């Protein structure tokens, strides 16, 4: 064994949240001078593991050893003092302060009680030179790009004699050149013997930079692997899981779809999703498959006008359409159930009834209320059809379970009778029964002629429901596959892993 | 209704205190065909505050705040009195004053929803400049008018009831109609409760917010007419001074959160009545009136502390299973910039 | 046109960093007002006119310094005017009634003001209640305490006090200032030092820039928030002492609405009301601009005092709009 002693060893980590077992017996070890990728889909437990490591959450069970000594931190600050620093995707610095201050604030060099600005700037410049950056350290942080801000955060992190550096999705908002710059810095730090824990959703980046990886799924450890020994297909299947009992496909015999409803041509948004072309026909269910952060949600948001496209065009029913706002999309009878129900969907303080009629009311404006009997009729019908429980229209939405909240959100859009329904992870975090109901509903709706864009992290679900599957990888629509008998989760995984290049 | 329980209890307690010190407190009598009595006085003197608070409720429900209502009160009274003192036309004066108030409200709404300035800052502008504007209109004088028909608004009677009370009922009715019969209320609560989700549901929040600020200014305008009519004069300097603070207080006591979302018109009316009763009580109990502000400060502090989740956590630790468990693992929010 | 100038000034790499632009605009405004006044009115363009602005607004300057600390953290303090009044009231009543000497009264007043600020800061920090509401309660409380002490104006006749108040410090060439100005200048200098050269000061900026980040960087955010309200309370009390020198009386109706003047001065001085950006020099200039408006109006004679408020409102509007433009630009 020529493996050096790990600088950090977490073993048997367990963490329970109300109703969720977030981590269950997870091990992780970091060797000095390696880049270690932490992999897993949504809800796999990556964030929780990092939070346990840095003392944001206490672990329910298990031990953490740093350089052979058992430790437990009361918070990120303590972890940092012990040599474990974290840099997050959203740069947690103060953009209004100068670069030098951001590196040193809280431990500025002082002389006779007053901050020694000159020395601070000199030391900041020196530190950044170690990362091969030559920038004006007295300029405010806000005048630099996100990538440079990221580097400054790293500089702050390593100044405190860091032994472990955690980079939590640092590349999500960087362009290719900036990623290269970051990797350059990471390699230098590696040479200095710092262990780097790296989280990213971009497979190419993982394979470019990481030496080893630990894979989590549903809060459990899948395993620890050398990156060069694990193929991309194997990685994807380990992340997504293989308990894929061959499920019957819910949609009936293959139909032909010849009436295009929404056609996107080279639609794209800089920094969110590369230009893509996609046609959705009437009555067709188009699935989007890809890992978290691959651009699934971004496509949905562009088609609903929730974000502005930076290029390309959309036609609805053959006529060019400008989907600049959600209202514009709604006027073309496009509906969108967002992934983040709490943040982008429901109004928690309002009742089930009010949430359900909200979009309909919005289209009518406040001067023309939806008549009470119509409300009762619509709300009653959908509470019954979707089995919303408790079946009380005056219940506050905040008190409903996740599955029922999802159904409320669905009902809000169904009463508008959309022609295209975009569902972003409609079955995430809800119980099995509700999940099956929502899947059945999608099938029924498409049989009735509605087009559905169905996004899910679960490949088998996408396969069961879709007539056609678009595959995304690294913010790019890499394939558009008809869902016939030859399409299996394995082929989908291969497509994701290879990026459609095979 | 449960949300109104606390304000109701406070009001009842205050009234009981009054009854204890002044046994005749609840008696309402008829004099010269007019209703008289302490309760009537509370309603009559509290009328302007109720009006301003109603407008403020809607603004706060959208997640905003309007500091300028006090200045608008002064402007409305000053303009109306100026017009009446010039040519005596009460109706045109009232219409002109209220029209100006709506314009000022639109201005506030434009700054908040159109330009995107924080509400507290946007309305601070009019709060400062509006006082000067009121004095400018009145030319720095206290304008005294002698118009019996103008006097009716704040000091007159209709069908034995003080006109001001009737006016409050009308405005309350209109507000309730707009928000609860029409769909303004639910859209306001939606925008205040979750602005991004409202946008994705297709709500045009800009129009709603502007409407609400205009409405708040209109309410303040009516209150201004009432105040100036009651004393038959307009004082640009002191009319409506600090009424915005009382109104905010009334809204908060009434159970509407300063963070926006759910609002309660009934609660606000109760809140305003509590404040007015408090003032009356202090007089009738024989506490020196100078301490009104002290008592008010304590009430504000108590109400806000009780509404603060952190305070409740700290003080009532053993809250038991009913205290809602905080989501320990807040879903990580992905930023798609 | 203004934007074009700002563009030129704000362009990075040019001589002036963008963060100084708002202060420079205010300075430019002050100079322009002064020059315009000098051309229009005889006897305006003298040094004493500027010094008089200082003399008449020394208390406001001190109060605005405290407000600057609070606003830099992203908070607001509505209680300052009432605390000023309370300080005059306590000073006057203690000297008039039991006849306490000033050297006991003044420290006591400063202590009370600081304690009020401390309590408000603690409530803001510990219970997560909006500063607006907490300091509103503080405003009621302090004003209420004033009226509880007395509803009438209480004259101050203590000989030491009056002697100090009437002292003139002669400078060169017939120019003079009052001791209050010296105190105010010292306060400004100390505050500027604290903001620029101490960890407390830098944490104030960091907290205003992003409270979340400041917490994650391990900065003592809670302590800092309590500290700024305490500082503001202290400054208000000191402003109250200076006001009692100026008025030689204590009165519950002193300094009504001074919180608005202080906030206006801070904003006109280029400090962002959302926190994190601004300079004390800007606040000084903001107070000077407010004072100069009054001077101009008094020289004009025909224009009445309420134009002050309208001008202040207009200036506020212009500066808030400029801030909005700046922050919008920075985000893109």
């Amino acid at each position: 064994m020529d493996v050096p002693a790990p600088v950090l060893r977490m073993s048997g980590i367990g963490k329970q949240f109300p109703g969720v077992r977030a981590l269950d017996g997870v091990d992780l070890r970091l060797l000095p001078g390696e880049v270690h990728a932490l992999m897993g889909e949504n809800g796999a437990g990556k964030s929780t593991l990092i939070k346990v490591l840095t003392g944001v959450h206490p672990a329910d069970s298990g031990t953490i050893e740093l350089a052979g000594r058992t430790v437990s931190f009361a918070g990120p600050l303590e972890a940092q003092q012990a040599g474990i620093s974290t840099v997050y995707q959203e740069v947690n610095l103060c953009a209004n302060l100068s670069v030098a201050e951001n590196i040193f604030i809280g431990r500025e060099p002082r002389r006779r009680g007053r901050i020694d600005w000159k020395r601070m700037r000199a030391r900041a410049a020196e530190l950044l030179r170690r990362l091969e950056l030559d920038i004006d350290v007295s300029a405010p942080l806000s005048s630099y790009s996100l990538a440079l801000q990221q580097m400054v955060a790293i500089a702050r992190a390593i100044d405190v004699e860091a032994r472990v550096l955690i980079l939590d999705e640092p590349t999500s908002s960087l362009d290719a050149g900036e990623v290269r710059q970051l990797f350059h810095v990471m390699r230098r730090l590696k040479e200095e013997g710092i262990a780097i824990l790296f989280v990213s959703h971009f497979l190419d980046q993982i394979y470019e930079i990481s030496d080893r990886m630990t894979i989590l799924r549903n809060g459990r450890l899948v395993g620890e692997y050398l990156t060069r020994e694990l193929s991309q297909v194997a990685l994807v299947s380990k992340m997504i899981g293989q308990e894929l009992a061959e499920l019957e496909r819910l949609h009936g015999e293959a139909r032909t779809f010849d009436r295009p409803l929404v056609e996107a041509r080279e639609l794209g948004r800089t920094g969110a999703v590369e230009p893509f072309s996609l046609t959705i026909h009437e009555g067709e269910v188009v699935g989007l498959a890809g890992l978290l952060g691959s651009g699934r949600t971004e496509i949905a948001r562009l088609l609903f006008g929730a974000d502005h496209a930076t290029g390309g065009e959309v036609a609805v029913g053959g006529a060019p359409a400008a989907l600049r706002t959600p209202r514009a999309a709604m006027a073309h009878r496009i509906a969108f159930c967002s992934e983040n129900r709490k943040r982008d969907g429901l109004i928690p303080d309002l009742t089930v009834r009010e949430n359900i009629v909200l979009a309909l009311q919005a289209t009518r404006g406040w001067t023309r209320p939806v008549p009470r009997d119509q409300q009762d009729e619509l709300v009653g019908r959908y509470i019954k059809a979707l089995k919303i429980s408790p079946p009380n229209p005056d219940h506050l939405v905040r008190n409903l379970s996740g599955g029922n909240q999802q159904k409320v959100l669905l009902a809000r859009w169904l009463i508008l009778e959309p022609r295209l329904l975009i569902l972003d992870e409609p079955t995430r975090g809800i119980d099995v029964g509700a999940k099956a109901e929502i899947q059945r509903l999608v099938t029924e709706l498409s049989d009735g002629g509605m087009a559905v864009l169905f996004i899910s992290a679960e490949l088998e679900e996408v396969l069961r429901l879709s007539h056609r599957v678009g595959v995304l990888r690294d913010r790019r629509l890499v394939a558009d596959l008809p869902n016939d008998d030859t399409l299996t989760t394995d082929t989908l995984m291969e497509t994701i892993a290879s990026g459609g290049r095979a | 209704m449960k949300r109104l329980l606390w304000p109701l209890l406070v009001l009842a307690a205050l009234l009981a205190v009054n009854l204890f010190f002044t046994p005749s407190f609840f008696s309402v009598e008829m004099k010269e065909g007019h209703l008289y009595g302490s309760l009537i006085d509370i309603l009559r003197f509290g009328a302007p505050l109720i009006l301003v608070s109603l407008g403020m409720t809607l603004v706060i429900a959208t997640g905003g705040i309007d500091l300028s209502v006090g200045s608008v009160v002064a402007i409305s009274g000053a303009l109306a009195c100026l017009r009446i003192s010039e040519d005596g036309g009460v109706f045109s004066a009232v219409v002109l004053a209220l029209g100006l108030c709506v314009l000022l409200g639109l201005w506030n709404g434009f700054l908040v929803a159109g330009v995107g300035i924080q509400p507290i800052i946007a309305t601070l502008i009019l709060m400062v400049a509006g006082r000067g504007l009121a004095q400018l209109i009145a030319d720095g004088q206290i304008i005294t008018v002698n118009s019996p028909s103008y006097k009716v608004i704040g000091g007159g009677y209709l069908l034995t009831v003080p006109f001001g009370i009737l006016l409050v009922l009308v405005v309350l009715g209109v507000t309730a109609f707009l928000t609860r019969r029409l769909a303004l209320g639910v859209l306001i609560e939606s925008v205040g409760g979750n602005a991004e989700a409202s946008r994705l549901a297709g709500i045009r929040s800009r129009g709603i917010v502007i409407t609400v600020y205009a409405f708040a200014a209109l309410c303040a305008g009516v209150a201004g007419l009432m105040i100036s009519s009651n004393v038959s004069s307009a004082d640009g300097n002191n009319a409506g001074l600090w009424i915005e603070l009382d109104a905010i207080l009334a809204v908060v006591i009434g159970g509407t959160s300063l963070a926006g979302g759910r609002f309660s018109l009934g609660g606000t009316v109760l809140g305003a009545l509590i404040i007015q009763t408090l003032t009356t009580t202090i007089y009738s109990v024989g506490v020196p009136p100078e301490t009104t502000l002290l008592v008010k400060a304590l009430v504000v502090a108590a109400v806000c502390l009780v509404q603060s989740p952190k305070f409740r956590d700290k003080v009532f630790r053993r809250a038991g299973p009913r205290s809602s468990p905080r989501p320990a693992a807040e879903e990580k929010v992905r930023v798609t910039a | 046109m203004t934007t074009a100038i700002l563009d030129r000034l704000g362009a990075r790499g040019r001589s002036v960093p963008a963060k100084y632009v708002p202060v420079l605009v205010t300075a430019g405004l002050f100079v322009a007002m002064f020059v315009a006044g000098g051309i229009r009115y005889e006897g305006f363009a003298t040094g004493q006119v500027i010094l008089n602005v200082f003399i008449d607004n020394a208390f406001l300057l001190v109060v605005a310094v405290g407000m600057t600390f609070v606003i830099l953290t992203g908070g607001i303090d509505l209680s300052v005017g009432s605390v000023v009044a309370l300080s005059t009231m306590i000073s006057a009543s203690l000297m008039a009634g039991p006849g306490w000497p000033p050297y006991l009264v003044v420290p006591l007043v400063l202590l009370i003001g600081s304690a009020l600020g401390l309590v408000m800061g603690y409530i803001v920090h510990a219970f997560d209640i909006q500063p607006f509401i907490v300091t509103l309660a503080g405003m009621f409380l302090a004003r209420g305490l004033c009226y509880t002490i007395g509803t009438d104006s209480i004259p101050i006749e203590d000989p030491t006090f009056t002697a100090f108040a009437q002292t003139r410090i002669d400078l060169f060439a017939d120019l003079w200032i009052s001791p209050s100005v010296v105190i105010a200048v010292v306060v400004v200098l100390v505050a500027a030092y604290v903001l620029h050269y101490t960890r407390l000061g830098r944490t104030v900026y960091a907290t205003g820039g992003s409270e979340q980040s400041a917490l994650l960087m391990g900065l003592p955010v809670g302590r800092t928030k309590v500290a700024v309200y305490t500082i503001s309370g202290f400054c208000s009390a000191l402003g109250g002492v200076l006001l009692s020198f100026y008025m030689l009386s204590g009165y519950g109706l002193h300094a009504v609405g001074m919180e608005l003047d202080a906030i206006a001065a801070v904003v006109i001085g280029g400090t962002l009301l959302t926190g994190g950006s601004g300079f004390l020099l800007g606040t000084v200039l903001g107070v000077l601009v407010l004072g100069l408006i009054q001077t101009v109006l008094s020289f004009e004679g025909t224009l009445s005092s309420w134009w002050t408020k309208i001008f202040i409102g207009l200036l506020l509007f212009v500066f808030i709009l400029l801030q909005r433009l700046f922050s919008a630009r920075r985000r893109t």
Side-chain angles (χ1 to χ4, degrees), chain A residues 17-18 47 57 89-90 168-169 201 269 292-293 298 301 304-306 326-327 330 336 340 342-347 349-351 354 358-359 361-362 365-367 369 396 412-413 428, chain B residues 178 180-187 189-204 207-208 211 260-262 325-337:
Chain A
F17 289 123
S47 307
H57 299 315
Q89 173 195 353
E90 320 87 64
D168 190 359
E169 291 194 48
H201 295 296
R269 178 176 160 85
L292 181 70
E298 287 72 10
R301 289 180 64 91
F304 186 62
R327 276 189 81 86
M330 283 163 70
F336 172 50
N340 192 328
K342 283 210 187 77
R343 198 190 55 173
D344 300 333
L346 297 164
I347 319 288
D349 281 343
L350 296 189
T351 62
E354 289 164 332
L358 193 61
Q361 188 61 64
W366 63 267
T367 48
L396 288 189
R412 175 194 290 173
W413 293 111
R428 184 174 130 210
Chain B
L178 289 178
R180 297 308 183 199
R181 294 299 295 184
L182 298 188
L184 189 58
V186 72
L187 295 189
E189 290 176 335
S190 171
V191 169
N194 187 340
E196 176 62 7
S198 304
R199 183 178 82 92
L200 291 181
I203 295 172
R204 262 193 276 239
I208 305 257
T211 309
R262 274 282 186 211
R326 283 235 203 92
E330 195 59 30
E331 278 182 40
K332 199 165 155 211
V333 176
R334 279 185 52 79
V335 180
T336 44

Side-chain angles (χ1 to χ4, degrees), chain B residues 3-4 7 249-256 264 266-268 270-271 307:
Chain B
R3 304 193 311 160
L4 297 186
L249 188 57
V251 173
V252 173
I253 292 176
T256 301
S264 159
T268 295
L270 277 178
Q307 284 195 351

Side-chain angles (χ1 to χ4, degrees), chain A residues 96 101 108 114-115 117 156, chain C residues 193 196-197 199 202 276:
Chain A
N96 58 326
E101 264 203 286
E108 302 95 336
R114 69 177 254 183
I115 293 172
W117 285 90
R156 178 180 174 85
Chain C
Y193 178 86
H196 194 65
Y197 285 114
R199 287 197 178 162
R202 301 323 294 174

Side-chain angles (χ1 to χ4, degrees), chain B residues 3 26 37 125:
Chain B
R3 304 193 311 160
F26 283 12
I125 296 172

Side-chain angles (χ1 to χ4, degrees), chain B residues 139-164:
Chain B
D139 201 26
Q141 314 284 315
I142 293 180
I143 308 176
T144 323
V145 289
N146 186 12
S147 159
S149 44
Y150 186 62
K151 176 85 187 171
V152 167
I153 300 175
Y157 288 81
L158 186 68
L159 305 170
T160 76
V161 185
F163 190 77

